[in-house]
Amino acid sequence: MLKIKDYADIVGQNVIEELAILSQHLQGKRIQNINSTAVGGGVAEILTRMLPLLHELGVDARWDVIRGDEKYFAITKKMHNALHGVNETIGDEDLEYFLEINERNVAEMDLNYDIHFVHDPQPIALIRKKPSVGGKWIWRCHIDFTNPNQKIWEFLKGFIEMYDTAVFSAPAFARRLPIRQVLISPSIDPLSDKNKDLSQEFIDAVFEKYGIDQKRPIICQISRFDYLKDPVGVIEAYKLAKEHVDCQLVLAGGGAVDDPEGMRVLADVRQAAENDPDIFVLFLPPAADLEINALQRGSTVVLQKSLKEGFGLTVAEALWKSKPVIATAVGGIQLQITHKYSGILTHSIEGTAFWIKQLLNEPEYAQKLGVNGREHIKNNYLIFRHLRDYLLLFLSVFEKDDIINFG
Ligand code: UDP
């Protein structure tokens, strides 16, 4: 079992001490996180790492997952896509069903906490319970809000305005709102199975298991099978690059409980990859963190060709491993990569193909990008910074007199 002091080697003892001091001020406060899936996707990834550390710091935090059925998750996925700017039809009946499921959860869930920290749109309407249960309510948006569908935005805005505070991942996502807005970007945990150092033997064994030849260049994208991650676009870019350089492509990912589109996307990917023995489409189970870590570490270049991206933990994960990353210049990815310094930002399939060819032909340049990328992640996107931001956020919603030993 990891202890928070194990992190001192990476970040320094004073940072850990500061976290402990901030946590002391939250004594007696009960914090409830609510999202829509326990596994799959970045939100679950972060909460899985964050909760044990908060507990170790003595913060009374818990994590609840709202319950929904297939119809509800089909609607919330359409909402998710629409908020990312995709043209989706969401009728009034869909919105009513969305509210109905939120209402059912209200009836089943204990909402007697000091802070309700609600993640993303799926559980957003739980806020309607605020007048009767009280407490502070924070809405945490992990979505790329650059260009949201107006109808859905207006619908959600009615709920967001009832919260005390809204949290966005990047300045570009902030909206005109009558409530307080806070910017907090996500993070990765350097000591998790997903990111910790691995032995070369372990990495070799994973590549051997899947029959991937480590003597030849390997490009990979790790992502849920989701149209917004553009896996078919990745295959097209790989094919264009392959006209000039030898390489293999790994597309690895699983699904998420709240994402019903995954199987359809996976079928499209398998079709696009057909007849190419150098494309490896790996459908991974939820607990594949060590394998994902190994695949990222053993790849020559990591891609993230998302069409929209709230943050893109996979980019941070690859950069932390000093990998050269080629990613699209969208959403939160732009916080992580400075073009030609800490990675490569592209805008098209052709651009991605061009840079695959360049980086495979110029390994020293590629390596430099990876080294700079790791430094940037180390300085900005590790879990201690995120913990500190969350502790300060929690403290900030209370009046001074509500907080123990404050000021
Ligand atoms: N991930 C995983 N298994 C998979 C695919 C992705 O554990 O099969 C992880 C990935 O390593 C990352 C997170 O899920 O930690 C995805 O977060 P990201 O922000 O990249 O995208 P999201 O899925 O939230 O859109």
Side-chain angles (χ1 to χ4, degrees), residues 252-309:
V257 177
D258 60 352
D259 180 2
E261 280 180 341
M263 288 303 144
R264 233 170 29 234
V265 181
L266 180 61
D268 287 355
V269 168
R270 288 205 165 121
Q271 198 178 4
E274 230 171 28
N275 304 323
D276 188 334
D278 281 342
I279 303 181
F280 299 84
V281 180
L282 312 179
F283 188 67
L284 300 175
D289 289 5
L290 286 168
E291 285 202 355
I292 290 173
N293 187 343
L295 290 170
Q296 287 167 331
R297 285 183 190 280
S299 292
T300 323
V301 170
V302 173
L303 303 182
Q304 193 58 53
K305 218 205 138 305
S306 305
L307 303 175
K308 295 279 175 176
E309 197 61 79

CSV table of all heavy atoms in Angstrom, one decimal, residues 252-309:
chain,number,residue,atom,x,y,z
A,252,ALA,N,-5.1,0.6,-28.5
A,252,ALA,CA,-5.5,-0.2,-27.3
A,252,ALA,C,-6.4,0.6,-26.4
A,252,ALA,O,-6.3,1.8,-26.2
A,252,ALA,CB,-4.2,-0.6,-26.5
A,253,GLY,N,-7.5,-0.1,-26.0
A,253,GLY,CA,-8.4,0.6,-25.1
A,253,GLY,C,-9.5,-0.3,-24.7
A,253,GLY,O,-9.7,-1.4,-25.3
A,254,GLY,N,-10.3,0.1,-23.8
A,254,GLY,CA,-11.5,-0.6,-23.3
A,254,GLY,C,-12.7,0.3,-23.5
A,254,GLY,O,-12.7,1.2,-24.3
A,255,GLY,N,-13.7,0.0,-22.7
A,255,GLY,CA,-14.9,0.8,-22.7
A,255,GLY,C,-15.1,1.4,-21.3
A,255,GLY,O,-14.3,1.3,-20.4
A,256,ALA,N,-16.3,2.1,-21.2
A,256,ALA,CA,-16.7,2.6,-19.9
A,256,ALA,C,-18.1,2.3,-19.7
A,256,ALA,O,-18.9,2.3,-20.7
A,256,ALA,CB,-16.4,4.1,-19.8
A,257,VAL,N,-18.6,2.1,-18.5
A,257,VAL,CA,-20.0,1.8,-18.2
A,257,VAL,C,-20.9,2.9,-18.8
A,257,VAL,O,-22.0,2.6,-19.3
A,257,VAL,CB,-20.2,1.7,-16.7
A,257,VAL,CG1,-21.6,1.5,-16.4
A,257,VAL,CG2,-19.3,0.7,-16.1
A,258,ASP,N,-20.5,4.2,-18.7
A,258,ASP,CA,-21.3,5.2,-19.2
A,258,ASP,C,-21.1,5.6,-20.7
A,258,ASP,O,-21.5,6.6,-21.1
A,258,ASP,CB,-21.2,6.5,-18.3
A,258,ASP,CG,-19.7,7.0,-18.3
A,258,ASP,OD1,-18.8,6.3,-18.9
A,258,ASP,OD2,-19.5,8.1,-17.8
A,259,ASP,N,-20.4,4.7,-21.4
A,259,ASP,CA,-20.2,4.9,-22.9
A,259,ASP,C,-20.7,3.7,-23.7
A,259,ASP,O,-20.0,2.8,-23.9
A,259,ASP,CB,-18.7,5.2,-23.1
A,259,ASP,CG,-18.5,5.4,-24.6
A,259,ASP,OD1,-19.4,5.4,-25.4
A,259,ASP,OD2,-17.3,5.6,-25.0
A,260,PRO,N,-22.0,3.8,-24.2
A,260,PRO,CA,-22.5,2.7,-24.9
A,260,PRO,C,-22.1,2.6,-26.3
A,260,PRO,O,-22.4,1.6,-27.0
A,260,PRO,CB,-24.0,3.0,-24.8
A,260,PRO,CG,-24.2,4.4,-24.6
A,260,PRO,CD,-22.9,4.9,-24.0
A,261,GLU,N,-21.3,3.6,-26.8
A,261,GLU,CA,-20.9,3.6,-28.3
A,261,GLU,C,-19.7,2.7,-28.6
A,261,GLU,O,-19.4,2.5,-29.7
A,261,GLU,CB,-20.6,5.0,-28.7
A,261,GLU,CG,-21.8,5.8,-29.0
A,261,GLU,CD,-21.4,7.2,-29.5
A,261,GLU,OE1,-20.3,7.7,-29.2
A,261,GLU,OE2,-22.3,7.9,-30.1
A,262,GLY,N,-19.0,2.3,-27.5
A,262,GLY,CA,-17.7,1.7,-27.7
A,262,GLY,C,-17.6,0.5,-28.7
A,262,GLY,O,-16.7,0.5,-29.5
A,263,MET,N,-18.6,-0.4,-28.6
A,263,MET,CA,-18.6,-1.6,-29.4
A,263,MET,C,-18.7,-1.2,-30.9
A,263,MET,O,-18.1,-1.8,-31.8
A,263,MET,CB,-19.7,-2.6,-29.0
A,263,MET,CG,-19.4,-3.2,-27.7
A,263,MET,SD,-17.7,-4.0,-27.8
A,263,MET,CE,-17.1,-3.8,-26.2
A,264,ARG,N,-19.5,-0.2,-31.2
A,264,ARG,CA,-19.7,0.2,-32.6
A,264,ARG,C,-18.4,0.8,-33.1
A,264,ARG,O,-17.9,0.5,-34.2
A,264,ARG,CB,-20.8,1.3,-32.6
A,264,ARG,CG,-21.8,1.0,-33.6
A,264,ARG,CD,-23.1,1.8,-33.6
A,264,ARG,NE,-23.0,3.2,-33.2
A,264,ARG,CZ,-23.8,3.7,-32.3
A,264,ARG,NH1,-24.6,2.9,-31.6
A,264,ARG,NH2,-23.7,5.0,-32.0
A,265,VAL,N,-17.7,1.6,-32.3
A,265,VAL,CA,-16.4,2.2,-32.7
A,265,VAL,C,-15.4,1.1,-32.9
A,265,VAL,O,-14.7,1.1,-33.9
A,265,VAL,CB,-16.0,3.2,-31.7
A,265,VAL,CG1,-14.7,3.9,-32.1
A,265,VAL,CG2,-17.0,4.3,-31.4
A,266,LEU,N,-15.4,0.1,-32.0
A,266,LEU,CA,-14.4,-0.9,-32.1
A,266,LEU,C,-14.6,-1.7,-33.4
A,266,LEU,O,-13.6,-2.1,-34.1
A,266,LEU,CB,-14.6,-1.9,-30.9
A,266,LEU,CG,-13.6,-3.1,-30.8
A,266,LEU,CD1,-12.2,-2.6,-30.8
A,266,LEU,CD2,-13.9,-4.0,-29.6
A,267,ALA,N,-15.9,-2.0,-33.8
A,267,ALA,CA,-16.2,-2.7,-35.0
A,267,ALA,C,-15.6,-1.9,-36.2
A,267,ALA,O,-15.0,-2.4,-37.1
A,267,ALA,CB,-17.7,-2.9,-35.1
A,268,ASP,N,-15.8,-0.6,-36.2
A,268,ASP,CA,-15.3,0.3,-37.3
A,268,ASP,C,-13.8,0.2,-37.4
A,268,ASP,O,-13.2,0.1,-38.4
A,268,ASP,CB,-15.7,1.8,-37.1
A,268,ASP,CG,-17.2,2.0,-37.3
A,268,ASP,OD1,-17.9,1.1,-37.7
A,268,ASP,OD2,-17.6,3.1,-37.0
A,269,VAL,N,-13.2,0.2,-36.2
A,269,VAL,CA,-11.7,0.2,-36.1
A,269,VAL,C,-11.2,-1.2,-36.7
A,269,VAL,O,-10.3,-1.2,-37.5
A,269,VAL,CB,-11.2,0.4,-34.7
A,269,VAL,CG1,-9.7,0.1,-34.5
A,269,VAL,CG2,-11.5,1.8,-34.2
A,270,ARG,N,-11.9,-2.2,-36.3
A,270,ARG,CA,-11.4,-3.6,-36.7
A,270,ARG,C,-11.5,-3.6,-38.3
A,270,ARG,O,-10.7,-4.2,-38.9
A,270,ARG,CB,-12.2,-4.7,-36.0
A,270,ARG,CG,-11.8,-4.8,-34.6
A,270,ARG,CD,-12.1,-6.2,-34.0
A,270,ARG,NE,-11.4,-6.4,-32.8
A,270,ARG,CZ,-12.0,-6.7,-31.6
A,270,ARG,NH1,-13.3,-6.8,-31.5
A,270,ARG,NH2,-11.3,-6.9,-30.5
A,271,GLN,N,-12.6,-3.1,-38.8
A,271,GLN,CA,-12.8,-3.1,-40.2
A,271,GLN,C,-11.7,-2.3,-40.9
A,271,GLN,O,-11.1,-2.7,-41.9
A,271,GLN,CB,-14.2,-2.5,-40.5
A,271,GLN,CG,-14.6,-2.9,-41.9
A,271,GLN,CD,-16.0,-2.3,-42.2
A,271,GLN,OE1,-16.6,-1.6,-41.4
A,271,GLN,NE2,-16.5,-2.7,-43.4
A,272,ALA,N,-11.4,-1.1,-40.4
A,272,ALA,CA,-10.4,-0.3,-41.0
A,272,ALA,C,-9.0,-0.9,-40.9
A,272,ALA,O,-8.1,-0.6,-41.7
A,272,ALA,CB,-10.4,1.1,-40.3
A,273,ALA,N,-8.8,-1.8,-39.9
A,273,ALA,CA,-7.5,-2.4,-39.7
A,273,ALA,C,-7.3,-3.7,-40.4
A,273,ALA,O,-6.2,-4.3,-40.4
A,273,ALA,CB,-7.3,-2.6,-38.2
A,274,GLU,N,-8.4,-4.2,-41.0
A,274,GLU,CA,-8.5,-5.5,-41.6
A,274,GLU,C,-7.3,-5.7,-42.6
A,274,GLU,O,-6.9,-4.8,-43.3
A,274,GLU,CB,-9.8,-5.7,-42.4
A,274,GLU,CG,-10.5,-6.9,-42.0
A,274,GLU,CD,-11.9,-6.9,-42.7
A,274,GLU,OE1,-12.1,-6.2,-43.7
A,274,GLU,OE2,-12.8,-7.5,-42.1
A,275,ASN,N,-6.8,-6.9,-42.6
A,275,ASN,CA,-5.7,-7.3,-43.5
A,275,ASN,C,-4.4,-6.6,-43.3
A,275,ASN,O,-3.6,-6.7,-44.2
A,275,ASN,CB,-6.2,-7.1,-45.0
A,275,ASN,CG,-7.5,-7.8,-45.3
A,275,ASN,OD1,-7.7,-8.9,-44.8
A,275,ASN,ND2,-8.3,-7.1,-46.1
A,276,ASP,N,-4.2,-5.9,-42.2
A,276,ASP,CA,-2.9,-5.3,-42.0
A,276,ASP,C,-2.3,-6.0,-40.8
A,276,ASP,O,-2.7,-5.6,-39.6
A,276,ASP,CB,-3.0,-3.8,-41.8
A,276,ASP,CG,-1.6,-3.2,-41.8
A,276,ASP,OD1,-0.6,-3.9,-41.4
A,276,ASP,OD2,-1.5,-2.0,-42.1
A,277,PRO,N,-1.4,-6.9,-40.9
A,277,PRO,CA,-0.8,-7.6,-39.8
A,277,PRO,C,0.0,-6.7,-38.8
A,277,PRO,O,0.3,-7.1,-37.7
A,277,PRO,CB,0.1,-8.7,-40.4
A,277,PRO,CG,0.4,-8.2,-41.8
A,277,PRO,CD,-0.8,-7.3,-42.2
A,278,ASP,N,0.3,-5.5,-39.3
A,278,ASP,CA,1.1,-4.6,-38.4
A,278,ASP,C,0.2,-3.7,-37.6
A,278,ASP,O,0.7,-2.8,-36.9
A,278,ASP,CB,2.0,-3.7,-39.3
A,278,ASP,CG,3.2,-4.5,-39.7
A,278,ASP,OD1,3.5,-5.5,-39.1
A,278,ASP,OD2,3.9,-4.1,-40.7
A,279,ILE,N,-1.1,-3.8,-37.7
A,279,ILE,CA,-2.0,-3.1,-36.8
A,279,ILE,C,-2.6,-4.0,-35.7
A,279,ILE,O,-3.1,-5.1,-36.0
A,279,ILE,CB,-3.2,-2.4,-37.6
A,279,ILE,CG1,-2.8,-1.6,-38.7
A,279,ILE,CG2,-4.1,-1.7,-36.6
A,279,ILE,CD1,-3.9,-0.9,-39.5
A,280,PHE,N,-2.4,-3.6,-34.5
A,280,PHE,CA,-2.8,-4.4,-33.3
A,280,PHE,C,-3.9,-3.7,-32.6
A,280,PHE,O,-3.7,-2.6,-32.0
A,280,PHE,CB,-1.6,-4.6,-32.4
A,280,PHE,CG,-0.5,-5.4,-33.0
A,280,PHE,CD1,0.5,-4.7,-33.8
A,280,PHE,CD2,-0.4,-6.7,-32.9
A,280,PHE,CE1,1.5,-5.3,-34.4
A,280,PHE,CE2,0.6,-7.4,-33.5
A,280,PHE,CZ,1.6,-6.7,-34.3
A,281,VAL,N,-5.1,-4.2,-32.7
A,281,VAL,CA,-6.3,-3.6,-32.0
A,281,VAL,C,-6.5,-4.4,-30.8
A,281,VAL,O,-6.9,-5.6,-30.8
A,281,VAL,CB,-7.5,-3.6,-32.9
A,281,VAL,CG1,-8.7,-3.0,-32.2
A,281,VAL,CG2,-7.3,-2.8,-34.2
A,282,LEU,N,-6.3,-3.8,-29.6
A,282,LEU,CA,-6.3,-4.5,-28.4
A,282,LEU,C,-7.5,-4.0,-27.5
A,282,LEU,O,-7.5,-2.8,-27.1
A,282,LEU,CB,-5.0,-4.4,-27.6
A,282,LEU,CG,-3.7,-4.6,-28.3
A,282,LEU,CD1,-2.5,-4.4,-27.4
A,282,LEU,CD2,-3.7,-6.0,-28.9
A,283,PHE,N,-8.5,-4.9,-27.3
A,283,PHE,CA,-9.6,-4.5,-26.5
A,283,PHE,C,-9.3,-4.9,-25.0
A,283,PHE,O,-9.2,-6.1,-24.7
A,283,PHE,CB,-10.9,-5.1,-26.9
A,283,PHE,CG,-12.1,-4.5,-26.2
A,283,PHE,CD1,-12.5,-3.2,-26.4
A,283,PHE,CD2,-12.8,-5.3,-25.4
A,283,PHE,CE1,-13.6,-2.7,-25.7
A,283,PHE,CE2,-13.9,-4.8,-24.7
A,283,PHE,CZ,-14.3,-3.5,-24.8
A,284,LEU,N,-9.0,-3.9,-24.2
A,284,LEU,CA,-8.4,-4.2,-22.9
A,284,LEU,C,-9.5,-4.3,-21.8
A,284,LEU,O,-10.5,-3.5,-21.8
A,284,LEU,CB,-7.4,-3.2,-22.5
A,284,LEU,CG,-6.2,-3.0,-23.4
A,284,LEU,CD1,-5.4,-1.8,-23.0
A,284,LEU,CD2,-5.4,-4.3,-23.5
A,285,PRO,N,-9.4,-5.1,-20.8
A,285,PRO,CA,-10.3,-5.1,-19.7
A,285,PRO,C,-10.0,-3.9,-18.8
A,285,PRO,O,-9.0,-3.2,-18.9
A,285,PRO,CB,-10.0,-6.4,-18.9
A,285,PRO,CG,-8.5,-6.7,-19.3
A,285,PRO,CD,-8.3,-6.1,-20.6
A,286,PRO,N,-10.9,-3.6,-17.8
A,286,PRO,CA,-10.7,-2.4,-17.0
A,286,PRO,C,-9.4,-2.4,-16.2
A,286,PRO,O,-8.8,-1.3,-16.1
A,286,PRO,CB,-11.9,-2.4,-16.0
A,286,PRO,CG,-13.0,-3.2,-16.7
A,286,PRO,CD,-12.2,-4.2,-17.6
A,287,ALA,N,-9.0,-3.5,-15.7
A,287,ALA,CA,-7.8,-3.5,-14.8
A,287,ALA,C,-6.5,-3.8,-15.6
A,287,ALA,O,-5.8,-4.7,-15.3
A,287,ALA,CB,-8.0,-4.5,-13.7
A,288,ALA,N,-6.3,-3.0,-16.6
A,288,ALA,CA,-5.1,-3.3,-17.5
A,288,ALA,C,-4.1,-2.2,-17.3
A,288,ALA,O,-3.3,-2.0,-18.2
A,288,ALA,CB,-5.6,-3.4,-18.9
A,289,ASP,N,-4.0,-1.6,-16.1
A,289,ASP,CA,-3.1,-0.5,-16.0
A,289,ASP,C,-1.7,-0.8,-16.2
A,289,ASP,O,-0.9,0.0,-16.9
A,289,ASP,CB,-3.3,0.1,-14.5
A,289,ASP,CG,-4.6,0.8,-14.4
A,289,ASP,OD1,-5.4,0.7,-15.3
A,289,ASP,OD2,-4.8,1.4,-13.3
A,290,LEU,N,-1.2,-1.9,-15.8
A,290,LEU,CA,0.2,-2.3,-16.0
A,290,LEU,C,0.5,-2.5,-17.4
A,290,LEU,O,1.6,-2.1,-17.9
A,290,LEU,CB,0.6,-3.5,-15.1
A,290,LEU,CG,0.7,-3.3,-13.6
A,290,LEU,CD1,0.8,-4.6,-12.9
A,290,LEU,CD2,1.9,-2.4,-13.3
A,291,GLU,N,-0.4,-3.1,-18.1
A,291,GLU,CA,-0.2,-3.3,-19.6
A,291,GLU,C,-0.2,-2.0,-20.3
A,291,GLU,O,0.6,-1.8,-21.2
A,291,GLU,CB,-1.3,-4.2,-20.1
A,291,GLU,CG,-1.2,-5.7,-19.7
A,291,GLU,CD,-1.9,-6.6,-20.6
A,291,GLU,OE1,-2.6,-6.2,-21.6
A,291,GLU,OE2,-1.7,-7.8,-20.4
A,292,ILE,N,-1.1,-1.1,-20.0
A,292,ILE,CA,-1.2,0.2,-20.6
A,292,ILE,C,0.2,0.9,-20.4
A,292,ILE,O,0.8,1.5,-21.3
A,292,ILE,CB,-2.4,1.0,-20.1
A,292,ILE,CG1,-3.7,0.4,-20.7
A,292,ILE,CG2,-2.2,2.5,-20.6
A,292,ILE,CD1,-4.9,1.1,-20.1
A,293,ASN,N,0.6,0.9,-19.2
A,293,ASN,CA,1.9,1.5,-18.8
A,293,ASN,C,3.0,0.9,-19.7
A,293,ASN,O,3.8,1.7,-20.3
A,293,ASN,CB,2.2,1.2,-17.3
A,293,ASN,CG,3.4,1.9,-16.8
A,293,ASN,OD1,4.2,2.3,-17.5
A,293,ASN,ND2,3.5,1.9,-15.5
A,294,ALA,N,3.0,-0.4,-19.8
A,294,ALA,CA,4.1,-1.1,-20.6
A,294,ALA,C,3.9,-0.7,-22.1
A,294,ALA,O,5.0,-0.4,-22.8
A,294,ALA,CB,4.0,-2.6,-20.5
A,295,LEU,N,2.7,-0.6,-22.6
A,295,LEU,CA,2.5,-0.3,-24.0
A,295,LEU,C,3.0,1.1,-24.3
A,295,LEU,O,3.7,1.4,-25.3
A,295,LEU,CB,1.0,-0.4,-24.4
A,295,LEU,CG,0.5,-1.9,-24.5
A,295,LEU,CD1,-1.0,-1.9,-24.6
A,295,LEU,CD2,1.1,-2.7,-25.6
A,296,GLN,N,2.7,2.0,-23.3
A,296,GLN,CA,3.2,3.4,-23.5
A,296,GLN,C,4.7,3.5,-23.5
A,296,GLN,O,5.4,4.1,-24.3
A,296,GLN,CB,2.6,4.3,-22.4
A,296,GLN,CG,1.1,4.6,-22.7
A,296,GLN,CD,0.4,5.2,-21.4
A,296,GLN,OE1,0.8,5.0,-20.3
A,296,GLN,NE2,-0.6,6.0,-21.7
A,297,ARG,N,5.3,2.8,-22.5
A,297,ARG,CA,6.7,2.8,-22.3
A,297,ARG,C,7.5,2.2,-23.5
A,297,ARG,O,8.6,2.6,-23.9
A,297,ARG,CB,7.2,2.1,-21.0
A,297,ARG,CG,6.9,2.9,-19.8
A,297,ARG,CD,7.4,2.3,-18.5
A,297,ARG,NE,6.8,3.0,-17.4
A,297,ARG,CZ,7.4,4.2,-17.0
A,297,ARG,NH1,8.5,4.7,-17.5
A,297,ARG,NH2,6.8,4.8,-16.0
A,298,GLY,N,6.9,1.1,-24.1
A,298,GLY,CA,7.6,0.4,-25.1
A,298,GLY,C,7.3,1.0,-26.5
A,298,GLY,O,7.9,0.5,-27.5
A,299,SER,N,6.5,2.0,-26.6
A,299,SER,CA,6.2,2.5,-28.0
A,299,SER,C,7.3,3.6,-28.3
A,299,SER,O,7.9,4.2,-27.5
A,299,SER,CB,4.8,3.2,-28.0
A,299,SER,OG,3.8,2.2,-27.9
A,300,THR,N,7.5,3.7,-29.6
A,300,THR,CA,8.5,4.7,-30.1
A,300,THR,C,7.9,6.1,-30.1
A,300,THR,O,8.5,7.1,-29.7
A,300,THR,CB,8.9,4.3,-31.6
A,300,THR,OG1,9.0,2.9,-31.7
A,300,THR,CG2,10.2,5.0,-31.9
A,301,VAL,N,6.6,6.2,-30.5
A,301,VAL,CA,5.9,7.4,-30.5
A,301,VAL,C,4.5,7.2,-30.1
A,301,VAL,O,3.9,6.2,-30.4
A,301,VAL,CB,5.8,8.0,-32.0
A,301,VAL,CG1,4.9,9.2,-32.1
A,301,VAL,CG2,7.2,8.4,-32.5
A,302,VAL,N,3.9,8.1,-29.3
A,302,VAL,CA,2.5,7.9,-28.8
A,302,VAL,C,1.7,9.0,-29.5
A,302,VAL,O,2.1,10.2,-29.6
A,302,VAL,CB,2.5,8.1,-27.3
A,302,VAL,CG1,1.0,8.1,-26.8
A,302,VAL,CG2,3.2,7.0,-26.6
A,303,LEU,N,0.5,8.6,-29.9
A,303,LEU,CA,-0.4,9.5,-30.6
A,303,LEU,C,-1.6,9.8,-29.7
A,303,LEU,O,-2.0,8.9,-28.9
A,303,LEU,CB,-1.0,8.8,-31.9
A,303,LEU,CG,0.0,8.4,-33.0
A,303,LEU,CD1,-0.7,7.9,-34.2
A,303,LEU,CD2,0.9,9.6,-33.4
A,304,GLN,N,-2.2,10.9,-29.9
A,304,GLN,CA,-3.6,11.2,-29.3
A,304,GLN,C,-4.3,12.1,-30.3
A,304,GLN,O,-4.2,13.3,-30.2
A,304,GLN,CB,-3.5,11.8,-27.9
A,304,GLN,CG,-4.8,11.8,-27.1
A,304,GLN,CD,-5.4,10.4,-27.0
A,304,GLN,OE1,-4.7,9.5,-26.5
A,304,GLN,NE2,-6.6,10.2,-27.4
A,305,LYS,N,-5.0,11.4,-31.2
A,305,LYS,CA,-5.6,12.2,-32.3
A,305,LYS,C,-7.0,12.6,-32.0
A,305,LYS,O,-7.9,12.5,-32.9
A,305,LYS,CB,-5.5,11.3,-33.6
A,305,LYS,CG,-5.2,12.2,-34.8
A,305,LYS,CD,-5.6,11.5,-36.1
A,305,LYS,CE,-6.3,12.5,-37.0
A,305,LYS,NZ,-7.4,13.3,-36.5
A,306,SER,N,-7.3,13.0,-30.8
A,306,SER,CA,-8.7,13.3,-30.4
A,306,SER,C,-9.2,14.5,-31.3
A,306,SER,O,-8.5,15.4,-31.6
A,306,SER,CB,-8.7,13.7,-29.0
A,306,SER,OG,-8.1,12.8,-28.1
A,307,LEU,N,-10.5,14.4,-31.5
A,307,LEU,CA,-11.2,15.6,-32.2
A,307,LEU,C,-11.6,16.6,-31.2
A,307,LEU,O,-11.7,17.8,-31.5
A,307,LEU,CB,-12.4,15.0,-32.9
A,307,LEU,CG,-12.1,13.9,-33.9
A,307,LEU,CD1,-13.4,13.4,-34.6
A,307,LEU,CD2,-11.2,14.4,-35.0
A,308,LYS,N,-11.8,16.2,-29.9
A,308,LYS,CA,-12.1,17.1,-28.8
A,308,LYS,C,-11.5,16.4,-27.6
A,308,LYS,O,-11.4,15.2,-27.5
A,308,LYS,CB,-13.6,17.2,-28.5
A,308,LYS,CG,-14.4,17.9,-29.7
A,308,LYS,CD,-14.2,19.4,-29.6
A,308,LYS,CE,-14.9,20.1,-30.8
A,308,LYS,NZ,-14.9,21.5,-30.7
A,309,GLU,N,-11.0,17.2,-26.6
A,309,GLU,CA,-10.4,16.6,-25.4
A,309,GLU,C,-10.5,17.6,-24.3
A,309,GLU,O,-10.0,18.7,-24.3
A,309,GLU,CB,-9.0,16.3,-25.8
A,309,GLU,CG,-8.3,15.3,-24.8
A,309,GLU,CD,-9.0,13.9,-24.8
A,309,GLU,OE1,-8.8,13.1,-25.7
A,309,GLU,OE2,-9.8,13.7,-23.8
